[in-house]
Amino acid sequence: MKHIYSLLIVTLLLVSCGGENKRNSVERVLESNNLETIRQKRSELVDEQQAVQEKIKRLDQAISKIDTIKHVPLITTLTAKEEVFNHVLEIQGNVTTKNLLVITPEYNGILTNVYVKEGQKVAKGQTLAKIDDGGLSQQLAQLQIEADLAKTTYERQKRLWDQNIGSEIKYLQAKSTYEAQSEAVNQLKQQIAKTTVKAPFTGTIDDVITEQGSVVAAGQTQLMRIVSLKDMYIETDIPERYITDVTRGKQVKVEFPVLGKSIDTEIRQAGDFINPANRTFKVEVAIPNNEKNIKPNLTAKLKINDYTNENAILIPQSIISENAEGEQYVYVVNEKNANDEGVAERVIIKTGKTQGDVIEVLEGIDNDVEIVQEGARSVKDGQTVKVINY
């Protein structure tokens, strides 16, 4: 190496000294203003330039033979290892419950009584409010008297008929009258029952919307809202391309950013209908709510395990390149010696699903293969490289 450097210094000195003489010579030739002399001088300089370039080339060849390490690219590598790959689909959804209902009346009239207040816990079937029946109770009392009389008449006619006494027509008339009166009483009782508002399920009165004394309309006036936090779930829309992957029983991690908590659950129902408007199908994810802190319409982030590979090879997406044909490739290191030097080989790969910064390799890479990581963009196929893993 020292000999080469000495040779370079001598060459530079000679060129420098020679250059001084040449400049003087060139100036004299130019001063002569003779075309033939100028052309001849130029030809001489071109020949000298070619000779110098040839010497420089020979010097470069000598340097490359002696100083081989200097031009070997330095890289880092990673070793391909099979591992479990659980791909997740991330999507947002809102918490809801089937036990969330705004109660409306079944009868027109004045809301005479409201028996509950906001925040009160109620049981299924408990009376919540009462609507004025508009005189139906008096009508029921009158009908009940008539029904009782019809029943007594029917029972007497039946006893006589069973003893073969009396006419059949009187017996049938008494039976028909009694049945008609009983049916009228039942229908009126059903009408009166509609004036009593009862809790459809056990829960909590979240809001009393209509105050006592207001006129209410059947099926229109909102009386109160009742909610139960027991049967909570998340309903969300999933793109149709996941219809074979997102199915009932799939594991789901649900995160609640506002609460700072997450729970593990599963899909309890996957819809069979594709919405033509947005090409999605609905799924329901059950939400245990023992602490009662998860409320309806709370925003949640779902991570659905839609794909699992028990023997996956994962590599960083950043080390993958693409050729003109659209094929993806990486570089692997072969024939590595004791000095950690090896040969870079370009390998065409086929990739699968991505998760964060990594991607699944389906074809092209085997277990325990050493893959170029840092420096992957600068190496070439067949080039000698030096591995400097820290």
Side-chain angles (χ1 to χ4, degrees), residues 39 63 75 102 168 210 217 233 274 291 326 331 335 348:
R39 285 179 175 175
I63 292 172
I75 63 166
V102 175
E168 182 180 8
T210 302
Y233 68 97
I274 303 295
E291 299 177 2
Y331 287 98
E335 305 174 11
I348 302 298

Side-chain angles (χ1 to χ4, degrees), residues 331-337 341-347 369-370 372 381 383 385:
Y331 287 98
V332 300
V333 177
N334 297 324
E335 305 174 11
K336 194 166 76 170
N337 58 27
E341 295 178 18
V343 178
E345 178 188 357
R346 186 171 63 181
V347 176
V369 169
E370 199 167 3
V372 177
D381 189 26
Q383 186 177 24
V385 293

Side-chain angles (χ1 to χ4, degrees), residues 237-284:
D237 295 326
I238 305 295
E240 64 176 341
R241 64 179 179 275
Y242 295 103
I243 195 166
T244 58
D245 299 322
V246 179
T247 56
R248 181 179 178 181
K250 285 283 188 176
Q251 295 300 307
V252 183
K253 179 179 284 293
V254 181
E255 297 178 352
F256 299 99
V258 174
L259 301 179
K261 66 177 292 186
S262 63
I263 58 174
D264 294 319
T265 180
E266 63 180 30
I267 296 176
R268 73 177 184 185
Q269 181 178 340
D272 295 323
F273 172 74
I274 303 295
N275 187 340
N278 56 11
R279 310 308 303 175
T280 62
F281 63 98
K282 291 188 178 297
V283 298
E284 288 185 7

Side-chain angles (χ1 to χ4, degrees), residues 8-143:
L8 285 173
I9 292 172
V10 172
T11 303
L12 290 173
L13 290 173
L14 292 173
V15 171
S16 177
C17 294
E20 188 69 26
N21 295 330
K22 286 174 185 175
R23 279 196 298 272
N24 294 333
S25 177
V26 169
E27 290 174 359
R28 287 197 300 269
V29 170
L30 291 174
E31 289 174 357
S32 68
N33 203 25
N34 187 296
L35 180 59
E36 290 299 326
T37 303
I38 294 174
R39 285 179 175 175
Q40 182 180 358
K41 189 60 180 179
R42 183 184 182 282
S43 179
E44 292 175 0
L45 291 176
V46 170
D47 293 339
E48 291 176 6
Q49 182 184 23
Q50 292 176 350
V52 171
Q53 288 179 346
E54 180 64 27
K55 292 177 182 179
I56 293 174
K57 182 178 179 182
R58 290 170 60 188
L59 291 172
D60 289 339
Q61 290 174 349
I63 292 172
S64 64
K65 289 180 180 179
I66 301 173
D67 192 14
T68 55
I69 301 298
K70 188 175 181 180
H71 295 285
V72 174
L74 303 180
I75 63 166
T76 63
T77 61
L78 60 90
T79 303
K81 293 292 183 182
E82 291 183 349
E83 56 185 296
V84 178
F85 177 44
N86 290 314
H87 183 268
V88 295
L89 168 66
E90 296 188 9
I91 200 163
Q92 283 194 334
N94 291 327
V95 178
T96 186
T97 174
K98 294 187 184 297
N99 293 331
L100 173 62
L101 182 66
V102 175
I103 299 174
T104 58
E106 297 182 86
Y107 194 80
N108 297 322
I110 299 174
L111 187 64
T112 55
N113 297 96
V114 176
Y115 302 113
V116 294
K117 57 184 180 180
E118 294 176 359
Q120 181 176 337
K121 296 184 181 300
V122 296
K124 181 179 180 179
Q126 180 177 334
T127 299
L128 306 179
K130 187 72 172 67
I131 301 171
D132 180 48
D133 60 20
L136 291 183
S137 297
Q138 289 79 7
Q139 295 181 33
L140 177 62
Q142 181 63 36
L143 279 177

Side-chain angles (χ1 to χ4, degrees), residues 299-337:
T299 300
K301 181 188 293 184
L302 284 72
K303 295 182 177 180
I304 304 173
N305 175 215
D306 64 325
Y307 170 78
T308 298
N309 185 349
E310 299 289 341
N311 304 107
I313 292 179
L314 305 177
I315 64 173
Q317 297 187 60
S318 58
I319 69 173
I320 299 177
S321 300
E322 189 171 299
N323 60 23
E325 289 73 29
E327 297 173 317
Q328 294 179 313
Y329 66 88
V330 295
Y331 287 98
V332 300
V333 177
N334 297 324
E335 305 174 11
K336 194 166 76 170
N337 58 27

